[in-house]
């Protein structure tokens, strides 16, 4: 059972996160953005977000085969070099360890993405991690029917 509706309880905070969401939607390629959102949501165990971003990506024309492969992207042949770099960065930023994002992951991202694109990817990854934490903390569930 959902604990609370954050948009109702703290609407200004919700609007602030929506501002980040609108920003990343306007600056990060839609296909890459959905892969990043799905991967972070899988890593965080956010059922609501995994459901939503899987459906959004399918509606946007993404193949189910690639979406299923996001869970094992390291071994999957279905992703471009840029997508792989974005997924590696997603893993590192989502699982921040004591040493932060490893140099090899950062260097891989900056090899195929511009400095501005990497910055926007980091903001996108941070944003989905905020959404995951809100949904998990409040026990937001995916809709029973769509």
């Amino acid at each position: 059972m959902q604990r609370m509706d954050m948009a109702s309880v703290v609407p200004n905070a919700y609007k602030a996160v929506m501002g980040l969401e609108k920003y990343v939607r306007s600056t990060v390629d839609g296909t890459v953005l959905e892969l990043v959102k799905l991967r972070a949501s899988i890593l965080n165990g956010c059922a609501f977000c995994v459901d939503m971003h899987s459906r959004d990506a399918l509606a946007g024309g993404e193949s189910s085969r690639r979406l299923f492969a996001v869970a094992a992207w390291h071994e999957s042949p279905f992703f471009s070099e840029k997508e792989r770099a974005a997924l590696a960065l997603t893993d590192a930023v989502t699982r921040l360890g004591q040493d932060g994002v490893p140099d090899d992951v950062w260097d891989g991202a900056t090899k195929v993405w511009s400095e501005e694109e990497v910055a926007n990817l980091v903001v996108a990854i941070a944003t989905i991690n905020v959404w995951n934490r809100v949904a998990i903390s409040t026990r937001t569930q995916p809709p029973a029917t769509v």
Side-chain angles (χ1 to χ4, degrees):
M1 178 147 209
Q2 187 167 337
R3 291 176 167 161
M4 73 171 63
D5 175 11
M6 295 287 276
S8 297
V9 177
V10 287
N12 289 337
Y14 189 85
K15 287 177 190 173
V17 180
M18 276 305 298
L20 284 171
E21 181 66 30
K22 289 176 185 174
Y23 176 81
V24 298
R25 286 181 190 177
S26 72
T27 61
V28 178
D29 172 79
T31 298
V32 172
L33 184 58
E34 289 303 331
L35 294 176
V36 162
K37 288 178 177 184
L38 181 58
R39 180 61 182 171
S41 299
I42 289 168
L43 292 175
N44 288 323
C46 183
F48 178 83
C49 294
V50 167
D51 176 73
M52 178 172 53
H53 298 301
S54 296
R55 288 186 291 109
D56 288 350
L58 286 169
E62 185 60 81
S63 75
S64 58
R65 192 173 189 199
R66 277 176 34 104
L67 291 180
F68 296 143
V70 167
W73 72 266
H74 292 275
E75 293 80 26
S76 173
F78 305 133
F79 303 103
S80 71
E81 183 180 14
K82 289 180 92 171
E83 291 168 335
R84 296 178 76 69
L87 290 166
L89 189 61
T90 301
D91 285 6
V93 172
T94 299
R95 294 176 169 159
L96 275 179
Q98 187 174 6
D99 297 323
V101 176
D103 289 339
D104 64 322
V105 172
W106 188 264
D107 294 344
T110 59
K111 177 182 163 199
V112 296
W113 296 97
S114 73
E115 184 176 46
E116 183 177 356
E117 289 170 325
V118 171
N120 284 326
L121 281 169
V122 170
V123 173
I125 296 162
T127 302
I128 187 57
N129 274 280
V130 169
W131 286 126
N132 288 166
R133 280 146 180 78
V134 167
I136 292 167
S137 298
T138 60
R139 294 186 180 158
T140 304
Q141 296 297 304
T145 60
V146 288

